[in-house]
Amino acid sequence: MVKFLKPNKAVVLLQGRFIGWKAVIVRSFDDGTRDRPYGLYLVVGIAKYPKKVIHKDSAKKKTKKLRVKGFIKLVNYNHIMPTRYTLDVDLKDVVSTDVLQTRDKKVMAAKESKKRLEERFKTGKNHRWFFSKLRF
C-alpha cells in the first residue's frame, strides 16, 4: 500500500481529547512501538487557535490574541482524517519519541513547537485554513 501521509501533512484528529482539532504529521511509525503494536503518527497540533484581531485593540491585547497553544501526541492511523494541505514547518528536530518519555522534555518541546507555529502564523503564508478553528 502506498503511504500518502508524509511528514508536514495537515490532518484532523477523529478520536480522543483533541477530536476535531487540526494537527501536522511529524513522523510515522508503520510497525508501531513496543508499547503500542499498531501503526501510529507523531503529530503536533493546535490546542488553542489564534483569535481575530481588531484595529482598535491595544498592542498588548493583539499579542495575546495572536498566541497559539500546541500539543504533541502519538495517534493511531485509524484516528486521523487526511487533508489536502501541507504545512512547511520544520518540527522534526524539536519533536521526537523520546520527548514523550518525561514531562520536562515534553513541556520544552511543546514550547518550541508553539514558537515555530506562531512564527508560521505571523508570516501568513497560505496557511489561513490551518490556523482557523473548524466550524461544524
Side-chain angles (χ1 to χ4, degrees):
M1 188 171 123
V2 177
K3 297 289 180 192
F4 63 95
L5 291 174
K6 307 248 188 286
N8 296 336
K9 190 78 165 167
V11 294
V12 177
L13 301 182
L14 300 176
Q15 291 288 330
R17 179 180 175 191
F18 296 104
I19 186 170
W21 297 89
K22 297 171 192 169
V24 178
I25 295 174
V26 177
R27 191 168 169 213
S28 64
F29 301 96
D30 294 331
D31 301 326
T33 60
R34 193 168 32 126
D35 305 339
R36 303 168 187 219
Y38 46 84
L40 24 97
Y41 291 114
L42 178 64
V43 297
V44 173
I46 297 182
K48 196 174 192 183
Y49 292 100
K51 295 186 171 74
K52 189 175 181 181
V53 176
I54 309 169
H55 181 69
K56 68 179 183 178
D57 285 341
S58 64
K60 184 178 176 184
K61 197 167 189 175
K62 283 181 184 177
T63 56
K64 198 168 187 178
K65 281 186 171 184
L66 292 177
R67 285 191 189 145
V68 173
K69 185 177 180 185
F71 63 87
I72 302 168
K73 199 170 174 61
L74 280 171
V75 183
N76 189 334
Y77 280 176
N78 300 324
H79 297 165
I80 62 165
M81 182 175 70
T83 64
R84 63 181 178 171
Y85 300 103
T86 57
L87 194 74
D88 52 343
V89 177
D90 187 30
L91 296 167
K92 210 166 204 156
D93 56 335
V94 177
V95 182
S96 63
T97 49
D98 17 313
V99 164
L100 299 172
Q101 301 301 325
T102 64
R103 180 88 175 136
D104 298 335
K105 287 182 182 178
K106 188 172 182 179
V107 168
M108 294 302 292
K111 284 181 182 176
E112 184 62 32
S113 61
K114 167 192 159 106
K115 192 186 313 178
R116 293 191 184 185
L117 287 172
E118 281 180 355
E119 284 174 19
R120 176 55 58 202
F121 175 68
K122 287 176 183 169
T123 57
K125 285 188 174 179
N126 301 335
H127 300 303
R128 189 172 23 164
W129 176 84
F130 186 74
F131 291 103
S132 61
K133 198 172 186 179
L134 271 181
R135 300 284 179 192
F136 56 107

